Amino acid sequence: MTTTPRGIRNCNPLNIRRSAAKWKGLCAQQNDASFCQFESMEWGWRAAFWLLTRVYYHTYRLFTIRKIITKWAPPIENHTAAYIQRVSQLSGIGPDEPIGIPSDRPARWISVARAMAIQENGTAQIDDFAMLKGFDLARQEAK
């Protein structure tokens, strides 16, 4: 019996933890005690790209896969080194290579996020259309 991964069930491909943040597209009823649940995969991707490109890149100044994953999936609760290696391998970007400015290098950020979703969910069955729509939504303004 195959179980749908939690991130896919929650329309939250990077498994964003619940917090005080009021993300666009959150389900009115949050039934998962730990992770956000979104109305559609597009909204889950939007939140993921918002975090990666606006918070991790612009606010925290994390420019590489190693720095991003170390914060995203800290060693206290993850096998961070394996996560970094897998995302680097899947994206084709070295762990310590700058990913680039998100607005200048969107394909690299999309590649990193897609690789993170594969790692988070244990499947390469990613809806690329929803991912691209989410990226577009994240480029728009308010949180």
Side-chain angles (χ1 to χ4, degrees):
M1 179 171 128
T2 306
T3 303
T4 303
R6 188 180 202 174
I8 305 299
R9 285 192 319 266
N10 287 343
C11 293
N12 182 356
L14 297 193
N15 287 317
I16 298 167
R17 290 200 177 274
R18 288 181 63 173
S19 69
K22 299 295 181 205
W23 293 106
K24 286 185 178 182
L26 273 179
C27 291
Q29 186 70 33
Q30 295 288 307
N31 297 316
D32 188 311
S34 299
F35 297 97
C36 295
Q37 294 174 296
F38 291 92
E39 294 172 359
S40 70
M41 196 58 80
E42 289 86 351
W43 289 114
W45 276 114
R46 180 202 178 277
F49 282 117
W50 181 281
L51 281 171
L52 289 174
T53 63
R54 294 187 184 226
V55 178
Y56 278 50
Y57 181 85
H58 288 291
T59 302
Y60 297 153
R61 315 294 287 164
L62 304 176
F63 305 136
T64 67
I65 289 170
R66 183 178 315 280
K67 288 181 179 175
I68 289 167
I69 300 303
T70 299
K71 182 154 183 69
W72 191 275
I76 195 165
E77 57 188 49
N78 296 276
H79 190 323
T80 306
Y83 196 138
I84 292 165
Q85 182 179 7
R86 183 86 193 275
V87 170
S88 179
Q89 176 214 9
L90 290 171
S91 68
I93 299 169
D96 298 305
E97 177 184 341
I99 300 167
I101 299 168
S103 59
D104 292 347
R105 307 294 300 269
R108 289 171 63 91
W109 285 91
I110 290 167
S111 179
V112 168
R114 187 177 199 287
M116 289 174 68
I118 291 169
Q119 176 67 23
E120 288 282 338
N121 294 288
T123 180
Q125 300 298 317
I126 303 299
D127 180 344
D128 290 326
F129 181 77
M131 180 180 60
L132 293 172
K133 177 70 174 158
F135 184 79
D136 188 50
L137 288 168
R139 293 174 90 167
Q140 298 169 18
E141 273 309 304
K143 191 175 195 180

